[in-house]
Amino acid sequence: AKVLLEVKNLKKYFHVGKNATLKAVDDVSFFIRKGETLGLVGESGCGKTTCGRTVMGMYSATGGEVLFDGVDIHKLNKTEKKEFTRRAQMIFQDPYASLNPRMTVGEIIGEGIDIHALYTGQERLDRIYHLLQLVGLNKEHATRFPHEFSGGQRQRIGIARSLAIEPEFIVCDEPISALDVSIQAQIVNLLVQLQKEFDLTYLFIAHDLSMVKHISDRVGVMYLGCLVELASSHDLYEKPLHPYTQALLSAIPIPDPEIERSKKRIKLEGEVPSPINPKPGCRFAERCRYAKPICHEQTPVLKEVEKEHYVACHLFD
Ligand code: SF4
């Protein structure tokens, strides 16, 4: 499949005070092929959400490029920008905060249809009903307000809203993190089903590797603004190369108690350091049990060490 989104050396810095720069996204590169899902994982503060928002053009980029269908989205004129927002949509972590409480569900879903003048009159209404049905709700829900729904249903409304204008690409920003575990699988299954039906491409952001396992074709792991490993889901879960990915994976409990007991757990020492004015070298060095002198001096760059398996670590120089 062709590459739909390409992020090249993307940087997003925030000036947070005199001589203090928060390097939220620091030289991140990846691509997503049409129809696939790239999972982007890391602890809070690793820059994954900022990365998603910069990819959507909600933040300007400090450096680098975001190419959507070959065109840098940070260089679009007004008309092109509108077209990009039709083709690329976002689903948010907190569906309640992102749904206007004073608008009915029908109005919320219809808003994008009106902005882009896709349908009017009965066609518009039918479209809204159809979208509700697609996400497992029904026609009667159109006249109700967001507070009348459960968290899972609200996320379904958020998904219907994002689908209303027939996008090709959706950034899913921790869409299941705020939901009950019992509801999470339902939402993931819905997203997978919609992806198949509409040939959607997803950037799926999550804080935990277990959440993206079943939805992602490939997974990227971020640590303090940097992408430290990127591989197919299979390779990443079966043979993680970066010490940080290994530690994250070892923390996921395995349902089989026998395997769980025999498993080696790698404990992550220390706290995540501050992303403000980061020290030179590998950002994981203070917590890494393999750290060598070079790790404190030179920042490792992401390189392909096996086919489509990328890692940023001096162990692989
Ligand atoms: Fe550890 Fe060095 Fe690799 Fe960083 S570069 S993960 S400190 S071995």
Side-chain angles (χ1 to χ4, degrees):
K2 70 162 191 172
V3 169
L4 183 63
L5 180 91
E6 190 172 7
V7 171
K8 279 186 176 170
N9 307 103
L10 187 68
K11 291 182 182 165
K12 180 62 192 170
Y13 295 173
F14 297 96
H15 295 286
V16 288
K18 210 172 165 229
N19 303 325
T21 305
L22 189 155
K23 298 189 173 179
V25 177
D26 203 10
D27 209 2
V28 166
S29 302
F30 59 83
F31 62 82
I32 312 181
R33 295 186 182 95
K34 186 155 176 53
E36 82 169 348
T37 298
L38 178 76
L40 194 59
V41 174
E43 294 163 282
S44 55
C46 72
K48 56 192 191 299
T49 291
T50 306
C51 187
R53 293 188 175 178
T54 315
V55 162
M56 287 298 294
M58 291 164 76
Y59 292 144
S60 62
T62 308
E65 294 178 310
V66 176
L67 305 174
F68 184 77
D69 225 354
V71 181
D72 190 347
I73 66 126
H74 291 284
K75 295 194 178 127
L76 303 178
N77 65 30
K78 224 176 148 192
T79 325
E80 292 164 336
K81 180 105 202 183
K82 191 171 170 190
E83 176 58 11
F84 170 69
T85 56
R86 198 199 55 73
R87 296 178 67 188
Q89 281 288 301
M90 191 150 180
I91 300 171
F92 297 89
Q93 174 176 164
D94 181 348
Y96 197 56
S98 66
L99 302 176
N100 187 334
R102 282 179 298 275
M103 281 164 79
T104 64
V105 168
E107 286 167 346
I108 289 170
I109 297 174
E111 208 179 16
I113 299 178
D114 300 340
I115 292 172
H116 294 275
L118 293 180
Y119 302 96
T120 54
Q122 189 58 40
E123 255 188 349
R124 174 183 177 280
L125 262 186
D126 289 343
R127 173 87 187 138
I128 293 169
Y129 296 156
H130 177 61
L131 286 158
L132 283 167
Q133 220 177 20
L134 274 177
V135 299
L137 299 170
N138 62 57
K139 192 168 162 160
E140 280 72 49
H141 290 134
T143 50
R144 302 226 234 129
F145 290 89
H147 74 262
E148 299 176 61
F149 294 88
S150 67
Q153 287 175 317
R154 280 181 215 147
Q155 195 52 287
R156 289 174 192 270
I157 298 166
I159 293 169
R161 174 180 59 183
S162 73
L163 287 179
I165 50 177
E166 299 159 20
E168 293 158 58
F169 172 62
I170 302 182
V171 173
C172 309
D173 184 17
E174 300 210 43
I176 58 171
S177 304
L179 303 175
D180 285 352
V181 177
S182 59
I183 310 292
Q184 289 181 344
Q186 294 177 13
I187 297 295
V188 167
N189 290 341
L190 175 64
L191 288 168
V192 170
Q193 182 199 322
L194 294 168
Q195 177 170 44
K196 283 198 197 118
E197 197 163 338
F198 300 108
D199 195 22
L200 296 167
T201 305
Y202 291 146
L203 174 62
F204 193 97
I205 299 171
H207 65 254
D208 171 334
L209 272 169
S210 63
M211 282 188 187
V212 297
K213 188 168 183 178
H214 299 292
I215 192 167
S216 306
D217 298 292
R218 293 184 300 128
V219 175
V221 177
M222 282 188 77
Y223 186 79
L224 270 187
C226 302
L227 192 61
V228 297
E229 186 162 3
L230 179 65
S232 69
S233 293
H234 176 271
D235 288 355
L236 194 98
Y237 290 90
E238 293 302 318
K239 40 175 185 179
L241 298 179
H242 196 282
Y244 177 61
T245 314
Q246 291 172 354
L248 281 184
L249 277 173
S250 83
I252 299 176
I254 296 171
D256 185 330
E258 216 142 285
I259 304 178
E260 178 62 26
R261 261 198 304 278
S262 62
K263 192 177 76 171
K264 269 196 295 179
R265 205 178 276 278
I266 307 167
K267 205 169 160 279
L268 270 179
E269 303 288 346
E271 296 287 306
V272 182
S274 163
I276 297 172
N277 299 342
K279 288 188 197 152
C282 171
R283 297 206 181 152
F284 189 57
E286 281 163 48
R287 301 169 85 193
C288 180
R289 51 195 191 129
Y290 305 106
K292 23 182 202 175
I294 188 180
C295 303
H296 296 280
E297 288 151 21
Q298 274 181 36
T299 308
V301 288
L302 194 75
K303 51 186 168 294
E304 192 171 14
V305 294
E306 278 167 39
K307 197 174 177 331
E308 297 232 352
H309 196 150
Y310 301 81
V311 62
C313 171
H314 290 304
L315 293 176
F316 299 91
D317 283 350

